[in-house]
Amino acid sequence: MYRFLLTPRWWGINVFVLLAIPFCVFMGSWQLSRFESRVDDHREATARAESNREEAARPLAELLPVDKATVGKKVTASGRYGEQLLVPDRDLDGESGYYVLTLLRTDGGKALPVVRGWLPGKADPAEAPAPPSGEVTVTGALQASEQPGDNGVSGRGGLPDGQTAAISAASLINLVPYDVYDAWVTLGSADAGMTTVPVSAAPDSGLDLKAFQNLGYTGEWFVFAGFVVFMWFRLLRREVEFARDAALGIVPDEASGAAEAPAQDEASTPVR
């Protein structure tokens, strides 16, 4: 009854099943490990954020380049404020508004983007407070350059003069006539009339959409593995039933109908 398992067709089916199941299990386990890794990164980022609040501010040069270990740390820098830009479409506490971004010209020649605060409503240069004049020293949290599409950062172009969609050296280098650090700072205490912009976690270190996508893909791969097993047993059952019926001399309706049709045609053919 099970001799059909030795046919070339079933050899192909069995080989496919034996390869598909381990592959699905491997991919599901890999996606699960990616989710667990993101959970661990989230825990570490939360612990770092707590410790960063208690640490003393350090000079900017000591914390560059920005990575997961330095994002959110207190930094201090001195210089003179230069160009001021607005960053529209930034929400805070469920309200739409914009960041006030001012370039701090440091003694080294490069400019450090400093978010001095947040204001509600549409980006309006007339509403944004002018930066302090003269030599200033700022203290805030170090942040990594933004990438359009991440954490609500807009990637749209065609903004009015004096505005930028993302806070990054790649975006600002075309708007100011000097080099810009590949990092930015949000002041620990916003300038008068503005709201302090909270510290953002390092990229890929939180339970964001990507993390839950990994969890969803984990379930999908294990479902695929179960589906392969289910279909194999279903095909096997059909073959066994067909072999049993054939052994008992039971012919399916389709086969009997196909056999009767030629007989009827032969009987209806006139004899000459």
Side-chain angles (χ1 to χ4, degrees):
M1 186 177 297
Y2 292 94
R3 290 178 181 176
F4 62 85
L5 291 173
L6 300 178
T7 62
R9 172 171 172 266
W10 270 93
W11 269 107
I13 293 174
N14 292 334
V15 170
F16 171 78
V17 171
L18 290 176
L19 293 177
I21 293 176
F23 177 76
C24 291
V25 172
F26 169 77
M27 291 301 298
S29 301
W30 180 77
Q31 290 288 352
L32 181 60
S33 68
R34 293 295 303 151
F35 174 74
E36 291 174 343
S37 177
R38 292 181 184 276
V39 171
D40 292 338
D41 287 344
H42 175 70
R43 291 172 179 168
E44 293 176 3
T46 302
R48 283 196 302 267
E50 293 294 332
S51 63
N52 289 340
R53 295 190 186 98
E54 301 175 0
E55 292 182 0
R58 295 165 58 185
L60 176 65
E62 295 182 6
L63 299 176
L64 295 178
V66 184
D67 55 24
K68 289 184 178 181
T70 59
V71 164
K73 287 188 175 296
K74 290 182 181 179
V75 65
T76 181
S78 298
R80 293 176 177 271
Y81 279 125
E83 280 80 356
Q84 182 160 285
L85 303 169
L86 305 182
V87 187
D89 303 324
R90 297 304 175 100
D91 296 340
L92 186 61
D93 296 332
E95 189 174 1
S96 179
Y98 58 97
Y99 293 167
V100 177
L101 174 70
T102 312
L103 280 299
L104 181 71
R105 300 289 303 276
T106 63
D107 296 336
K110 280 189 174 182
L112 175 66
V114 177
V115 172
R116 297 171 46 234
W118 174 91
L119 289 172
K122 293 185 178 180
D124 185 357
E127 297 292 333
S133 59
E135 188 80 10
V136 296
T137 298
V138 299
T139 301
L142 188 64
Q143 301 281 259
S145 288
E146 296 179 335
Q147 299 296 327
D150 290 345
N151 297 325
V153 178
S154 173
R156 68 187 181 95
L159 293 174
D161 292 340
Q163 295 186 19
T164 180
I167 308 174
S168 67
S171 299
L172 297 174
I173 195 65
N174 298 319
L175 302 177
V176 295
Y178 36 76
D179 291 336
V180 179
Y181 282 106
D182 192 21
W184 58 283
V185 169
T186 174
L187 294 183
S189 179
D191 286 346
M194 294 186 287
T195 303
T196 301
V197 174
V199 180
S200 299
D204 298 326
S205 64
L207 295 178
D208 53 10
L209 179 60
K210 292 181 180 179
F212 290 102
Q213 283 179 338
N214 291 134
L215 187 60
Y217 294 150
T218 298
E220 287 182 0
W221 281 113
F222 286 124
V223 168
F224 290 157
F227 181 74
V228 170
V229 174
F230 168 76
M231 289 303 299
W232 185 86
F233 275 106
R234 185 175 181 182
L235 290 174
L236 178 67
R237 182 179 177 182
R238 287 184 59 187
E239 289 285 354
V240 170
E241 291 176 350
F242 182 81
R244 185 180 294 122
D245 291 345
L248 295 174
I250 301 175
V251 181
D253 293 340
E254 295 82 357
S256 61
E260 291 174 0
Q264 293 176 358
D265 293 342
E266 184 177 352
S268 61
T269 302
V271 179
R272 296 181 180 179

